[in-house]
Each structure stands twice: as structure tokens, then as C-alpha cells.
Amino acid sequence: MQKFVFYVRHLQMSEVEPEKISELFKGKKSFLRTLFAPSEIRQDFNKMPHVSLRALHWHTHYGILKAVNAKHLRYLDLSTCSPDDGLLDSICLLYNLQTLRLNDCYRLRQLPENLVINLRKLVHLYLFGCSGLDRMPRNIGKLKNFLTLTTFIVDTREGCGIDELKDLQHLSNRLELYNLRKIQSVNHAKEAHLKQKQNLSELLFCWGLTRYDKPESEACNEKEVFQCLQPHDNIEIMELYGYGGLEMPQWMGYPQMFKCLRKLKIFKCTRCKNIPLVWLSSSLVYLSLEDMGELKSICDNLDIEGGGDGLSLHIFPNLKKMNLKHLPSLERWAENSAGESVDSLVVFPVLEEATIEDCPMLASFPSSPILRELRISLFAIRQRMESSPEEVPPLYNSMLPASLEVCWIQGYECWVALPPNLGELAKLQELLVNNCYGLTSLPDGMHGLTSLRELTISGSPEIEEFPHGLLERLPTLECLSIDGCPELERRCREGGEYFDLVSSIPRKYIQQASPESVQVEESGIEALEPESEIEATETETGIEAPEPESEIEAREAESRTEAQSGTEAPEAESRVNKFLRRLIPCCARSNSDSN
């Protein structure tokens, strides 16, 4: 093989030890220029002394990059590593380096100060996912040839202010700005010259060191600073985290600013009372609003009278997915300049998916002719119920969109009935009812769910029976899951009045009334709960292995298996693995008996 190695220029390897690769080049001058070893290899790169690389992707946590085999490197990828100080310092000796990727190095705290001085040819610096990084090297603005700088953290130290971005006019793609609350003055914010960086397409504004930091108790001049951070009007993705101002800056009220915007996410802007003027944007397809405690209306100051003239009002003309979470004051979708609700006129023309979580004051579901998936939950209502025990969410009497195919209703402890038109949703294929403790029964008329394939009822102990004739009138039902409903579970188990009706359903998960054991029924197969050992059941056709309890568990088991591949100690053993572990000795005994 060694005679061919002489000609190898590009090599990718996984779990091969570097010493073995090094032996192939022993005593020979190698023309190897590219080495990709993305899997974790606990070996020092310097055990490969006979190569002079131009591109290297290496997964290591220690060692140094000697100039003898790395001085010509142009591209270095150490993503997902935990580089120590020695490794970081050796990087600063790679004087020809043009691209440095340190993505997802979450233990990385800071970059060497001499990085800017030594790596004058650096053009691309990737720092996505470096959540532990708390500052930048001084005077990074001197690297004027930067095309990619994914992350910039503002600091009050000299040479670490936002004004370091002033001369980086060629920055492109995505830029994430953190610790914006450390901007010392409006003039410094102006000197960032974001508006002139025309090649940027994605911007993240974060006022804390991390995306989860809350606004400070007293946000002094954040609105004025934000006003001076106005970008150009071709931004496609914008994210805001921890902004402490009471209102959005003025430039966010210009519709032309969002002519290209496809995605907007706002998180933990707890004081802000409005959102950017994006409801007229024809390009926006995704909207996520979370933890905005003062937001009362999505759209405001609309030029229309309360009550309207009967015409529909189309907002978010191209929005397809909307995520609303932890908005305790949100009451309406839109209001006019007089502060009056115009929700009865509002239509989301192409909205397909909506998630509404902990929005207790919202009065109606989004109206969309093609809404396919709606997931609503209100897990945070317990505190409200303690102060107002008779108060129920306004959504209680709201009508569900007729186009729904997936509907999840979770955590509505005070609901005593599901939405009134639930049984009329002829297109509904999946229905989940979870933690609705006040719900005593399912509504009559559910036989209208002629397309229903999956029905899950959990954590609703007061539900004791199905509406009369329901199971016979759901011909398409393929999966039934009942958990946390003791009386309903009893009726569905063997000996119960529903047993014969549910026996024809292909996939079933029925929890035992006792929390210590679970009965799973799937195509006639019965098994105990995962906590107990699985006993192999011999039949005429041999030993049958129990399958996962539901499609959800199957996907989770598959995900755990993928996540644990290559690790020495998996966190948990799946049902199938337990079964196989017990099955192998049984087979061995059977073979010995037959012999």
C-alpha cells in the first residue's frame, strides 16, 4: 500500500490511529495536503511528522500544532473540541492560516490576545455555539480582510468595544452580537456601521452574554443604542434576545426594513410592548415570540375601525409557522389606532403551523384557511387559578379551524370541556389531550372525526368513558394511547366493556391502573413495563420480542441509540436490548438441549 501513499493528497479517516497513518509516510516525502479526522481521536497531531498540510480537521483536546507540520496550514477546524491553552497558543503560530473553525467549543472561555497580531491573513473565524466565550481578543478590528466573523462579544476593555466593527466592511452571512448592554455610548454604537455591511444576511442582537440572560433591572439607554445599530434593509434572519427597552427602535417601524426578512425570533424582551412592523412583510415565513410579558397585541395601530365593515384583514401574508410562548398579557392578534380589537377580521392567509403556549389571555385561535397543525398548552395557569379560581382562559369557547390535521391540547387544568366544534374537524388525523384535570368527558359528536388516526388521552383522570358509539365510528384509527385515566384504562383492558372494540386497533398503549406496572397491547402482544424485567413468551412460532410501546417511544429509542453510539456507558438500556440480553442465554440453552 505504501507505494500508493506517495500520491495521496487528500485523506479522510475516522477511528484510525495517527501512528498507523504516520507509518505509511515513514521515510518518504509526502504530498498529503488535506487531512479530515472529524471523529474523536485521542492522539497528538504531532505524531504525524512527515506531512505538510494545507487543510486539517482534527478532533482533539490537547497537544500543540508544531510548525514543522502545520506552518503551511490555511484551513483549521477544531470544532466540538475543548482546546487547552497550549493548543490555542500554538494556533497563533500558524501565520498562513486563513480559516479557523471553533464551532461548539462550549468550554472555550477566551481566545489568545496575540491572535490578532500573528494571524494577519485570517479571513474566516467561526465561533458558533461557543457559549462559554466571554470576550474577544483586543483590536480585532485590525483584521480588515475579515469575510466571516460569526460572533462578537462587546466588552468595556480598550479595543473590545462595538466600534471594533467599524472597518470590517466585508463581513458576510451571519453575525451574532452579544453583551450589547456593555456598549458605553450611542456614538460607539454608531461607529459599528452595521448599515454599511451589505453582505450580512443574518443578525443576532443579544444584550446579555448568553441568549438566556434577562434584561437588567434598569435598562438605561438601550432603545437609543439599538436605534444606532440599524442594519441595511436586506436582512433575511433577525433574532433579538434580552432587549430591555419599552419599545422597539424607530427603524423597526419602517415596513421597507423587512422586505427580505424570512425569520424573526424575539426572546426574553420582557419589558417591550410591541414587535417590529413585520405583519405587512411578504417575505416573512417564520415568527417566534417568547417571554414578552408586556406584549398585548401582535399588530397595533391598524388603520381600521373597531368592528370593521365585514371585510377580512389579511396580516402576515406569507407566514407559514408561528411560535408564541410565555406571553401572559397577550390578548389579541390585532388592534386599531384606538386600541380596539379587530380580531374578528384578521386572517393569516397561508399559516400552516401554530404553537401557543402559556398565553392565558389570548381570546381566539389564529384564523387560517390552511392551518394544519395547532398545539396549545397552558402549563403556567396554576398560579392564576390560585388567585382567580373561577377564571377560565378566553380560548375556552373559541372555535378550532376546520382545516386542522394535528391538534394538541395540554395543561388546561380549568377546562371542563373541549372546544365546541372539535367533533366537526373531518380532516383531523392526530388528537392529543394532556393534563386537562377538569375535563370529565370527551364531547359528543366526535364520530365526525372520520380521518382520525392517532388518539392520545393522558393526565386527565376525570375522563371515564368514550362517547357512545365513538370507537365504532372511527374507522381510520391506527393508534390509541391512554395514560393517567384510571377508569378509562380499566374499561379498555381485558374484561372491560371497551376491550373488544379496541382490540382491532393496530397500536395501543393502555397503562395499568397501578402505577407499578404497564400493559402494552400491540397486535396481540402483551408485555410488562420497562422497569420490570421482560419475560420471553414462547409461542408456536417461537419467541416474540416486545415492540416499543408507541411510535413516539420507537423514535426516542432510535434517537438514544444514535446518541449513545461510540460511548462506553449508555445512560439507559432500551426494552429491545434488555430482551435480547435475556434471549441469547435462552437460545444457548435451547441449542444445548437439542444437542
Tab-separated table of all heavy atoms in Angstrom, residues 141-169:
chain	number	residue	atom	x	y	z
A	141	GLY	N	-10.618	44.557	15.180
A	141	GLY	CA	-10.944	45.384	14.021
A	141	GLY	C	-9.778	45.614	13.084
A	141	GLY	O	-9.960	46.094	11.957
A	142	LYS	N	-8.561	45.271	13.521
A	142	LYS	CA	-7.392	45.433	12.655
A	142	LYS	C	-7.342	44.389	11.545
A	142	LYS	O	-6.610	44.565	10.563
A	142	LYS	CB	-6.111	45.377	13.490
A	142	LYS	CG	-5.936	46.575	14.424
A	142	LYS	CD	-4.624	46.489	15.178
A	142	LYS	CE	-4.422	47.701	16.082
A	142	LYS	NZ	-3.132	47.636	16.819
A	143	LEU	N	-8.094	43.299	11.707
A	143	LEU	CA	-8.142	42.272	10.656
A	143	LEU	C	-9.181	42.695	9.623
A	143	LEU	O	-10.276	42.144	9.536
A	143	LEU	CB	-8.477	40.906	11.274
A	143	LEU	CG	-7.477	40.389	12.315
A	143	LEU	CD1	-7.942	39.066	12.887
A	143	LEU	CD2	-6.090	40.244	11.692
A	144	LYS	N	-8.840	43.668	8.828
A	144	LYS	CA	-9.797	44.314	7.935
A	144	LYS	C	-10.221	43.449	6.764
A	144	LYS	O	-11.163	43.786	6.049
A	144	LYS	CB	-9.205	45.637	7.417
A	144	LYS	CG	-8.927	46.640	8.530
A	144	LYS	CD	-8.369	47.943	7.991
A	144	LYS	CE	-8.083	48.926	9.121
A	144	LYS	NZ	-7.545	50.228	8.607
A	145	ASN	N	-9.526	42.342	6.560
A	145	ASN	CA	-9.899	41.455	5.455
A	145	ASN	C	-10.923	40.405	5.860
A	145	ASN	O	-11.256	39.524	5.068
A	145	ASN	CB	-8.648	40.759	4.906
A	145	ASN	CG	-7.700	41.727	4.228
A	145	ASN	OD1	-8.133	42.688	3.575
A	145	ASN	ND2	-6.401	41.510	4.386
A	146	PHE	N	-11.421	40.494	7.072
A	146	PHE	CA	-12.410	39.524	7.553
A	146	PHE	C	-13.600	39.457	6.598
A	146	PHE	O	-14.218	40.470	6.266
A	146	PHE	CB	-12.928	39.918	8.938
A	146	PHE	CG	-12.347	39.089	10.046
A	146	PHE	CD1	-11.990	39.678	11.252
A	146	PHE	CD2	-12.190	37.720	9.916
A	146	PHE	CE1	-11.461	38.927	12.290
A	146	PHE	CE2	-11.665	36.960	10.947
A	146	PHE	CZ	-11.304	37.559	12.132
A	147	LEU	N	-13.924	38.231	6.182
A	147	LEU	CA	-15.167	37.976	5.452
A	147	LEU	C	-16.196	37.308	6.350
A	147	LEU	O	-17.395	37.461	6.150
A	147	LEU	CB	-14.902	37.088	4.229
A	147	LEU	CG	-13.984	37.663	3.150
A	147	LEU	CD1	-13.814	36.656	2.020
A	147	LEU	CD2	-14.547	38.975	2.616
A	148	THR	N	-15.716	36.533	7.336
A	148	THR	CA	-16.605	35.830	8.257
A	148	THR	C	-16.137	36.040	9.684
A	148	THR	O	-15.012	35.685	10.047
A	148	THR	CB	-16.634	34.317	7.957
A	148	THR	OG1	-17.011	34.103	6.601
A	148	THR	CG2	-17.614	33.619	8.879
A	149	LEU	N	-16.992	36.630	10.493
A	149	LEU	CA	-16.815	36.719	11.932
A	149	LEU	C	-18.182	36.434	12.535
A	149	LEU	O	-19.042	37.305	12.591
A	149	LEU	CB	-16.306	38.099	12.346
A	149	LEU	CG	-16.155	38.321	13.861
A	149	LEU	CD1	-15.104	37.384	14.447
A	149	LEU	CD2	-15.790	39.779	14.162
A	150	THR	N	-18.388	35.205	12.954
A	150	THR	CA	-19.743	34.803	13.347
A	150	THR	C	-20.165	35.397	14.677
A	150	THR	O	-21.367	35.576	14.914
A	150	THR	CB	-19.840	33.276	13.439
A	150	THR	OG1	-18.947	32.799	14.465
A	150	THR	CG2	-19.460	32.630	12.111
A	151	THR	N	-19.206	35.693	15.557
A	151	THR	CA	-19.544	36.115	16.921
A	151	THR	C	-18.675	37.294	17.333
A	151	THR	O	-17.461	37.285	17.114
A	151	THR	CB	-19.331	34.955	17.917
A	151	THR	OG1	-20.135	33.843	17.528
A	151	THR	CG2	-19.696	35.375	19.334
A	152	PHE	N	-19.329	38.299	17.930
A	152	PHE	CA	-18.581	39.410	18.522
A	152	PHE	C	-19.197	39.720	19.878
A	152	PHE	O	-20.416	39.923	19.996
A	152	PHE	CB	-18.620	40.653	17.641
A	152	PHE	CG	-17.769	41.778	18.166
A	152	PHE	CD1	-16.419	41.841	17.873
A	152	PHE	CD2	-18.316	42.755	18.987
A	152	PHE	CE1	-15.620	42.857	18.388
A	152	PHE	CE2	-17.534	43.779	19.499
A	152	PHE	CZ	-16.178	43.828	19.191
A	153	ILE	N	-18.359	39.746	20.905
A	153	ILE	CA	-18.812	39.993	22.280
A	153	ILE	C	-18.296	41.348	22.723
A	153	ILE	O	-17.081	41.581	22.774
A	153	ILE	CB	-18.313	38.886	23.224
A	153	ILE	CG1	-18.827	37.526	22.750
A	153	ILE	CG2	-18.760	39.158	24.655
A	153	ILE	CD1	-18.247	36.365	23.527
A	154	VAL	N	-19.193	42.236	23.040
A	154	VAL	CA	-18.831	43.585	23.457
A	154	VAL	C	-18.279	43.551	24.879
A	154	VAL	O	-18.771	42.826	25.743
A	154	VAL	CB	-20.053	44.524	23.383
A	154	VAL	CG1	-19.675	45.936	23.839
A	154	VAL	CG2	-20.606	44.551	21.967
A	155	ASP	N	-17.244	44.343	25.116
A	155	ASP	CA	-16.653	44.447	26.451
A	155	ASP	C	-16.227	45.889	26.664
A	155	ASP	O	-16.082	46.669	25.706
A	155	ASP	CB	-15.454	43.496	26.579
A	155	ASP	CG	-15.042	43.283	28.033
A	155	ASP	OD1	-15.823	43.663	28.926
A	155	ASP	OD2	-13.945	42.765	28.275
A	156	THR	N	-16.038	46.252	27.913
A	156	THR	CA	-15.639	47.626	28.234
A	156	THR	C	-14.130	47.818	28.179
A	156	THR	O	-13.642	48.947	28.304
A	156	THR	CB	-16.146	47.994	29.648
A	156	THR	OG1	-15.672	47.032	30.591
A	156	THR	CG2	-17.668	48.017	29.684
A	157	ARG	N	-13.368	46.737	27.989
A	157	ARG	CA	-11.919	46.879	27.881
A	157	ARG	C	-11.550	47.636	26.605
A	157	ARG	O	-12.272	47.586	25.610
A	157	ARG	CB	-11.238	45.512	27.861
A	157	ARG	CG	-11.446	44.673	29.112
A	157	ARG	CD	-10.708	43.348	28.971
A	157	ARG	NE	-11.086	42.668	27.733
A	157	ARG	CZ	-10.274	41.901	27.032
A	157	ARG	NH1	-9.015	41.739	27.408
A	157	ARG	NH2	-10.692	41.296	25.935
A	158	GLU	N	-10.452	48.296	26.639
A	158	GLU	CA	-9.979	49.024	25.466
A	158	GLU	C	-9.705	48.034	24.329
A	158	GLU	O	-9.067	46.997	24.508
A	158	GLU	CB	-8.707	49.799	25.802
A	158	GLU	CG	-8.204	50.654	24.650
A	158	GLU	CD	-6.956	51.438	25.010
A	158	GLU	OE1	-6.521	51.343	26.193
A	158	GLU	OE2	-6.402	52.127	24.131
A	159	GLY	N	-10.204	48.376	23.150
A	159	GLY	CA	-10.020	47.519	21.991
A	159	GLY	C	-11.038	46.399	21.888
A	159	GLY	O	-10.887	45.522	21.031
A	160	CYS	N	-12.066	46.408	22.737
A	160	CYS	CA	-13.097	45.355	22.718
A	160	CYS	C	-14.499	45.920	22.573
A	160	CYS	O	-15.488	45.202	22.773
A	160	CYS	CB	-13.019	44.517	23.994
A	160	CYS	SG	-11.491	43.581	24.166
A	161	GLY	N	-14.615	47.205	22.242
A	161	GLY	CA	-15.923	47.824	22.088
A	161	GLY	C	-16.563	47.507	20.745
A	161	GLY	O	-15.931	46.975	19.828
A	162	ILE	N	-17.835	47.873	20.621
A	162	ILE	CA	-18.587	47.606	19.399
A	162	ILE	C	-17.997	48.355	18.213
A	162	ILE	O	-18.171	47.972	17.050
A	162	ILE	CB	-20.076	47.997	19.599
A	162	ILE	CG1	-20.954	47.497	18.455
A	162	ILE	CG2	-20.230	49.498	19.752
A	162	ILE	CD1	-21.161	46.019	18.446
A	163	ASP	N	-17.254	49.427	18.487
A	163	ASP	CA	-16.653	50.213	17.416
A	163	ASP	C	-15.534	49.462	16.701
A	163	ASP	O	-15.048	49.925	15.654
A	163	ASP	CB	-16.122	51.547	17.961
A	163	ASP	CG	-15.206	51.367	19.159
A	163	ASP	OD1	-15.559	50.570	20.047
A	163	ASP	OD2	-14.145	52.003	19.212
A	164	GLU	N	-15.101	48.293	17.230
A	164	GLU	CA	-14.105	47.481	16.535
A	164	GLU	C	-14.642	46.958	15.203
A	164	GLU	O	-13.881	46.548	14.326
A	164	GLU	CB	-13.671	46.303	17.408
A	164	GLU	CG	-12.774	46.678	18.564
A	164	GLU	CD	-11.437	47.231	18.092
A	164	GLU	OE1	-10.821	46.610	17.195
A	164	GLU	OE2	-11.013	48.280	18.603
A	165	LEU	N	-15.960	46.968	15.027
A	165	LEU	CA	-16.563	46.505	13.773
A	165	LEU	C	-16.524	47.570	12.678
A	165	LEU	O	-16.899	47.286	11.535
A	165	LEU	CB	-18.019	46.087	14.016
A	165	LEU	CG	-18.262	44.953	15.027
A	165	LEU	CD1	-19.753	44.729	15.211
A	165	LEU	CD2	-17.582	43.672	14.573
A	166	LYS	N	-16.061	48.736	13.014
A	166	LYS	CA	-16.136	49.891	12.099
A	166	LYS	C	-15.559	49.600	10.723
A	166	LYS	O	-16.191	49.871	9.698
A	166	LYS	CB	-15.428	51.082	12.741
A	166	LYS	CG	-15.373	52.319	11.867
A	166	LYS	CD	-14.649	53.458	12.585
A	166	LYS	CE	-14.574	54.695	11.723
A	166	LYS	NZ	-13.869	55.808	12.419
A	167	ASP	N	-14.358	49.043	10.675
A	167	ASP	CA	-13.654	48.868	9.404
A	167	ASP	C	-13.821	47.478	8.800
A	167	ASP	O	-13.202	47.171	7.771
A	167	ASP	CB	-12.162	49.162	9.595
A	167	ASP	CG	-11.897	50.617	9.963
A	167	ASP	OD1	-12.635	51.485	9.459
A	167	ASP	OD2	-10.975	50.863	10.770
A	168	LEU	N	-14.635	46.649	9.414
A	168	LEU	CA	-14.864	45.300	8.871
A	168	LEU	C	-16.028	45.352	7.893
A	168	LEU	O	-17.113	44.805	8.121
A	168	LEU	CB	-15.131	44.313	10.017
A	168	LEU	CG	-14.063	44.241	11.113
A	168	LEU	CD1	-14.414	43.173	12.138
A	168	LEU	CD2	-12.687	43.976	10.518
A	169	GLN	N	-15.805	46.004	6.785
A	169	GLN	CA	-16.877	46.285	5.836
A	169	GLN	C	-17.263	45.074	4.984
A	169	GLN	O	-18.310	45.090	4.338
A	169	GLN	CB	-16.464	47.444	4.908
A	169	GLN	CG	-16.177	48.739	5.634
A	169	GLN	CD	-17.379	49.258	6.403
A	169	GLN	OE1	-18.524	49.046	6.007
A	169	GLN	NE2	-17.127	49.925	7.518
